[in-house]
Amino acid sequence: NEAAASAAVKVVARLRPPLGEEELQDSTAFVVPSDGQTIHSIDNTYTFELNRAFPESASQEDVYDYVGRPIIEAVLNGYNGTVLAYGQTGSGKTF
């Protein structure tokens, strides 16, 4: 059922681009492969499976279209909706 699938809890992550000169010098720790549903540590020690994973190159619009737009449309149709943003201070959650 499409309605039930769209109402299900989804786990989505976005790797944010490095900010500032200092962070550009840091080495990359995690990558998002082209499947868009996993995040891997560079040394392949860790793999996280998600509903969707956005790489550093993803735009805010890409993330909004996948996460925010369906929830906003559901709320406007009378359903409850929640977006829980979790991350380090200054990582862009409110943007």
Side-chain angles (χ1 to χ4, degrees):
N1 178 324
E2 186 178 327
S6 67
V9 172
K10 293 183 177 87
V11 178
V12 179
R14 177 188 184 209
L15 299 182
R16 75 166 171 79
L19 301 173
E21 189 65 32
E22 186 173 306
E23 286 192 22
L24 288 172
Q25 295 174 2
D26 290 343
S27 62
T28 301
F30 290 93
V31 294
V32 177
S34 60
D35 69 3
Q37 294 184 321
T38 56
I39 296 176
H40 298 283
S41 61
I42 291 296
D43 62 3
N44 286 319
T45 303
Y46 300 100
T47 298
F48 303 98
E49 294 183 19
L50 311 163
N51 293 101
R52 181 76 188 265
F54 290 94
E56 293 178 356
S57 61
S59 69
Q60 290 295 107
E61 186 175 6
D62 293 337
V63 177
Y64 174 77
D65 286 343
Y66 183 81
V67 177
R69 188 178 307 280
I71 293 172
I72 297 298
E73 289 173 359
V75 168
L76 292 174
N77 286 319
Y79 296 96
N80 293 325
T82 301
V83 174
L84 174 66
Y86 178 82
Q88 184 176 3
T89 300
S91 63
K93 298 176 296 296
T94 57
F95 186 71

